[in-house]
Amino acid sequence: IGGGGESLLVPVMATLLSCLFSVLILWGIVQTGKPDNYTPYKISAKSWFLSFGKFLFAFGGHSAFPNFQKEMKKPRNFPGSILLAFTIKLSLYIPVGITGMLYFGGLVKPNILNNIDPSFRVLNGCILLLVTVQAIMSATILGNPVAEMVEDAIGAQHKAVFGWKRLAVRLAFVAVTVVICEAIPRFDLIMALIGGTTINTAVFILPSLFHIKLAKKDSWIYLKYTLDGISATFGVVAGCVCTFASVFHIVDELSTSLSTSLISCSS
């Protein structure tokens, strides 16, 4: 990265923290063990599409890729960097997901930390601390491209020292983030919705359309068009189904919660 040592420190630290708390989560799951009322997880079309949207939510950093490539000292190494990043990411996601499903099955909660035995206070505290610090670092990285766009629009010099305009933009981003977190206590309800709409568009649809427009017209051009067409079509179909499933799931959960609250008040 061309921004200096401080630009490299944040992503490296975020990656190391992700590896560390993933190992701690795995250890916590194994130490908790299977509950006595364990039931296997039942896979349905609804659960598949909701899981698809939540899985895509984890890849929300795609929108920042062009900015990452621009900041690199050697942009031509970008494909190798992305391959390494996805390899590390999947090596963390897959073991945690599979282990959680094997141990908790149908009892697995939206936040796997809630399945870990609460008596492991030190372990849970360490995991929460590491996750929080990693989230702060990741937000700094992923939010930077959007913040720079806003700064350019209002005439802030983002390559200079922090002025009042840059400070105002960054504070506004933090304030909006806090408001969203406080306004939506059950963020798991909208993860699939965001993943199936905006992130699905950024991951499957737009990159395929851009590649069709920019692809070099050589002997492989029709194969490129076919693969891009399949990717874009899958994104549209899966995104629509995932969005509808997410909306119905949110309505169903809110209706159940409202009914429970009314029953509790009447009794």
Side-chain angles (χ1 to χ4, degrees), residues 15-253:
T15 303
L16 292 177
L17 290 175
S18 297
C19 296
L20 182 56
F21 72 65
S22 296
V23 172
L24 291 179
I25 290 174
L26 283 171
W27 187 70
I29 293 173
V30 174
Q31 290 299 312
T32 300
K34 285 187 177 181
D36 296 332
N37 57 342
Y38 171 86
T39 56
Y41 186 82
K42 296 181 180 179
I43 300 176
S44 62
K46 178 183 177 181
S47 67
W48 190 93
F49 281 105
L50 289 175
S51 299
F52 173 75
K54 293 178 180 179
F55 183 76
L56 282 181
F57 182 86
F59 294 85
H62 274 226
S63 57
F65 281 179
N67 185 266
F68 295 162
Q69 187 174 17
K70 182 190 70 173
E71 294 291 333
M72 292 178 67
K73 291 181 179 179
K74 298 179 180 179
R76 63 179 179 276
N77 294 335
F78 180 72
S81 301
I82 292 302
L83 179 61
L84 176 61
F86 275 102
T87 301
I88 295 174
K89 201 168 190 178
L90 291 176
S91 68
L92 300 177
Y93 284 175
I94 293 175
V96 172
I98 292 178
T99 306
M101 295 304 298
L102 290 176
Y103 273 81
F104 303 126
L107 300 176
V108 68
K109 298 178 181 178
N111 185 352
I112 193 68
L113 298 181
N114 293 330
N115 284 102
I116 298 177
D117 192 338
S119 64
F120 301 151
R121 294 182 180 179
V122 176
L123 175 64
N124 288 326
C126 291
I127 293 174
L128 289 174
L129 178 62
L130 293 174
V131 169
T132 302
V133 175
Q134 191 272 344
I136 293 174
M137 291 184 171
S138 298
T140 303
I141 300 170
L142 300 179
N144 191 59
V146 180
E148 288 187 355
M149 291 176 58
V150 176
E151 289 166 0
D152 286 336
I154 64 175
Q157 298 294 324
H158 61 259
K159 293 193 179 293
V161 181
F162 262 83
W164 71 268
K165 289 184 178 180
R166 290 196 68 192
L167 184 60
V169 170
R170 303 297 171 127
L171 288 176
F173 269 85
V174 174
V176 170
T177 303
V178 172
V179 169
I180 293 175
C181 293
E182 292 296 328
I184 309 174
R186 282 199 58 187
F187 197 69
D188 61 284
L189 291 180
I190 66 169
M191 283 177 63
L193 180 61
I194 296 175
T197 52
T198 57
I199 298 178
N200 174 64
T201 303
V203 171
F204 283 104
I205 302 174
L206 292 182
S208 301
L209 297 180
F210 293 159
H211 189 254
I212 291 174
K213 182 68 175 179
L214 301 174
K216 182 180 179 180
K217 291 181 171 56
D218 51 20
S219 58
W220 298 96
I221 187 63
Y222 292 109
L223 177 60
K224 295 176 183 177
Y225 285 167
T226 301
L227 294 176
D228 287 332
I230 293 174
S231 176
T233 303
F234 174 80
V236 171
V237 175
C240 290
V241 177
C242 178
T243 300
F244 282 114
S246 302
V247 171
F248 285 124
H249 179 64
I250 292 172
V251 172
D252 183 53
E253 288 289 329

